[in-house]
Amino acid sequence: MLTPEFHAYFMRLALREAAKAAEAGEVPTGCVIVRKPQTLDQPLAAVKVLARSHNQTELLKDATAHAEMIALTQASAALGDWRLTDTILYVTKEPCPMCAGAIVLARVPLVVWGLSDPKRGGHSVFSILNHPGLNHRPELLTGIEEAACQAVLQDFFRARREAPDLSQTPNS
């Protein structure tokens, strides 16, 4: 069994991606996909990172440009296969229904997230990740680096609420 420290390390990489999203004015969600270690004593530095991404919906003007979707595409390209059967996906916030569906289709065996989304989550609300009618149900590990994942989202939305609405500024 992989240690909590192992999972925290890769969640912190996902948090770095979330920070990039926040800097770009995107909802700060970050995702990292790694190849699952072959042995439990494999050093962190030897674990292959297949994908790193963050939300880019505003940049790309694409509703599907969520961190998980971009990371799934990157990991598939890195492995040369759409089946990501020997991977672990780390994401700072629980995947939405779209991303949860893509994770199931990609056959990711372990999904790790920091902050659950009880209002819109693909698992919490819709049970996509463990739906009995689907042919793949990943193992889930939640609450990893939860406080940091929550803080990045809260800080982002607090700053958005406090920012002056530039659309209301008269033209000069």
Side-chain angles (χ1 to χ4, degrees):
M1 182 166 144
L2 298 172
T3 65
E5 294 78 19
F6 178 93
H7 295 303
Y9 175 83
F10 290 104
M11 186 60 72
R12 287 191 296 273
L13 293 182
L15 279 161
R16 288 184 196 166
E17 291 297 318
K20 291 178 187 176
E23 289 171 16
E26 301 275 358
V27 173
T29 301
C31 184
V32 172
I33 300 177
V34 302
R35 184 182 287 276
K36 189 175 181 183
Q38 299 301 313
T39 63
L40 295 180
D41 61 346
Q42 186 173 350
L44 287 172
V47 176
K48 182 162 179 63
V49 176
L50 301 170
R52 298 172 195 251
S53 64
H54 55 274
N55 280 355
Q56 297 180 40
T57 55
E58 299 298 333
L59 173 70
L60 299 176
K61 307 294 185 227
D62 180 355
T64 68
H66 290 195
E68 301 95 8
M69 300 296 282
I70 295 167
L72 289 168
T73 299
Q74 289 175 359
S76 293
L79 293 175
D81 194 351
W82 60 269
R83 292 174 192 90
L84 302 179
T85 56
D86 291 322
T87 64
I88 303 170
L89 183 145
Y90 293 88
V91 63
T92 55
K93 185 181 73 60
E94 177 182 351
C96 74
M98 172 185 67
C99 294
I103 289 165
V104 168
L105 292 173
R107 313 294 197 272
V108 175
L110 176 58
V111 179
V112 181
W113 69 73
L115 184 64
S116 292
D117 186 353
K119 291 184 180 179
R120 292 171 289 288
H123 177 71
S124 294
V125 178
F126 300 99
S127 300
I128 293 169
L129 296 172
N130 69 353
H131 193 282
L134 297 173
N135 64 340
H136 175 73
R137 289 177 291 286
E139 182 180 342
L140 306 176
L141 181 59
T142 66
I144 302 298
E145 296 290 312
E146 183 174 16
C149 293
Q150 182 175 14
V152 72
L153 280 164
Q154 286 179 336
D155 292 349
F156 175 79
F157 286 111
R158 184 177 302 113
R160 296 277 299 254
R161 284 190 301 274
E162 293 171 358
D165 186 356
L166 299 177
S167 68
Q168 302 298 319
T169 306
N171 292 334
S172 39

